[in-house]
Amino acid sequence: MNPCMTTPPDDSLEPEQSVGGSVAARTSALGRALTALTKTRVSLRINHNTHTLATVSPPKRAGEPWKFNLHAMFLDADEIVLQALVAWGKNDDAAGRAVRKYIDAHMHAVRPKKSRMAGVVLSPRGNTHDLHALMQSVNEEFFGGGRSVYITWGQDGRRATPARRSRTRQIRFGSYDEHAKVIRIHPALDRPEVPEFFIRFVIYHEMLHDLLDLETNEATGRRRIHPPEFREMERLFPQYHEAIAFEHRFLKEFM
Ligand SMILES: [Zn+2]
């Protein structure tokens, strides 16, 4: 599933425009193309996951390879897209947008694992905030890219109306459906007044639910949704206090 290969530097090899062929052949063609473009050693990993669709890390020191972790959709990318990948790796924002465009046009190749996802329509791109991109960055920063969950704007069907009760915060800005592995973020947050860090915090919180997998207490049969270690990890978020303060302000002003 995850062929991983390293190609030696070889400037004489031309990038290939291969469509079709075995995954192994296309992977090695892609490796050669990237080697030609970066003029250095390349470590290429092709993935079939749904979230980390493209990661490009240029070498930090001389002698290190360029590292590419790419979704299989890139096996069919033409040279313009590959050039954009390399330029994006060098922090070219316009190239990053070209890569994003390619990904958007090929999202049909990203197949979520069926059954459990049945009936769940994901719409991660809002008017202001792109949840998919935000989740990807949270996943990289806090979970080493290791969480594999879905995300969408929307409300938890079980709590469709944001209710307000006197004592506890009842408006849930995020929810996590552990069966479908879907994080839902309340659409009220999709506006420019809401800073990215706050949405990242809500995503981080929901991803912790995926990580900690809510154990049921054997003795009581009760599940603690936010056990102490959950709260402890939640506080590791760098802007934890700002996020809590923002939440209070936001609830007062907008909800
Ligand atoms: Zn929670």
Side-chain angles (χ1 to χ4, degrees):
M1 267 313 249
N2 287 317
C4 193
M5 54 163 283
T6 307
T7 56
D10 185 346
D11 289 346
S12 68
L13 290 167
E14 289 296 316
E16 278 181 30
Q17 315 285 310
S18 62
V19 176
S22 74
V23 169
R26 286 148 77 209
T27 301
S28 69
L30 177 58
R32 286 197 300 277
L34 291 171
T35 299
L37 285 170
T38 57
K39 300 189 170 58
T40 176
R41 218 149 49 81
V42 160
S43 152
L44 169 64
R45 174 182 268 273
I46 296 296
N47 69 61
H48 293 82
N49 66 28
T50 52
H51 295 302
T52 312
L53 299 175
T55 310
V56 178
S57 336
K60 292 189 185 76
R61 273 173 229 98
E64 285 181 359
W66 272 72
K67 288 187 193 141
F68 293 85
N69 185 348
L70 304 174
H71 186 270
M73 69 167 72
F74 283 94
L75 289 174
D76 295 323
D78 64 21
E79 203 189 337
I80 300 193
V81 173
L82 301 187
Q83 280 166 350
L85 270 176
V86 172
W88 176 48
K90 294 172 180 166
N91 279 326
D92 179 334
D93 288 341
R97 283 191 291 279
V99 172
R100 164 59 62 184
K101 236 172 113 183
Y102 181 81
I103 289 176
D104 286 346
H106 293 78
M107 277 308 280
H108 56 85
V110 182
R111 296 191 201 293
K113 283 166 215 106
K114 294 301 136 7
S115 64
R116 296 193 304 181
M117 285 290 292
V120 178
V121 177
L122 301 178
S123 55
R125 180 162 289 197
N127 295 321
T128 306
H129 298 289
D130 179 353
L131 292 177
H132 193 275
L134 291 173
M135 180 173 71
Q136 222 168 312
S137 77
V138 170
N139 195 10
E140 291 294 331
E141 186 172 341
F142 301 101
F143 302 98
R147 312 288 357 125
S148 183
V149 293
Y150 307 96
I151 193 161
T152 185
W153 289 105
Q155 294 172 33
D156 187 335
R158 290 165 297 182
R159 299 173 189 76
T161 333
R164 215 202 295 237
R165 298 225 183 108
S166 50
R167 283 176 318 149
T168 48
R169 283 187 284 126
Q170 281 293 310
I171 296 169
R172 291 159 52 101
F173 287 119
S175 66
Y176 180 56
D177 175 339
E178 67 200 273
H179 300 293
K181 288 180 114 33
V182 173
I183 292 173
R184 287 186 178 79
I185 303 294
H186 199 295
L189 297 184
D190 187 23
R191 60 177 86 186
E193 294 90 340
V194 178
E196 278 194 356
F197 82 80
F198 182 67
I199 297 180
R200 280 166 50 84
F201 173 68
V202 177
I203 294 173
Y204 173 68
H205 176 106
E206 301 307 333
M207 289 177 94
L208 284 180
H209 281 303
D210 178 59
L211 178 75
L212 295 176
D213 201 13
L214 308 185
E215 285 157 34
T216 302
N217 183 313
E218 298 276 328
T220 65
R222 279 179 51 198
R223 282 152 56 106
R224 301 199 57 184
I225 308 231
H226 300 120
E229 70 261 36
F230 184 103
R231 291 305 187 190
E232 227 164 83
M233 291 186 75
E234 191 181 30
R235 275 190 288 272
L236 295 178
F237 190 78
Q239 288 131 311
Y240 174 79
H241 295 288
E242 291 96 316
I244 299 296
F246 178 84
E247 182 176 35
H248 288 303
R249 226 169 38 241
F250 185 83
L251 283 171
K252 236 185 254 161
E253 285 174 30
F254 290 97
M255 302 298 285

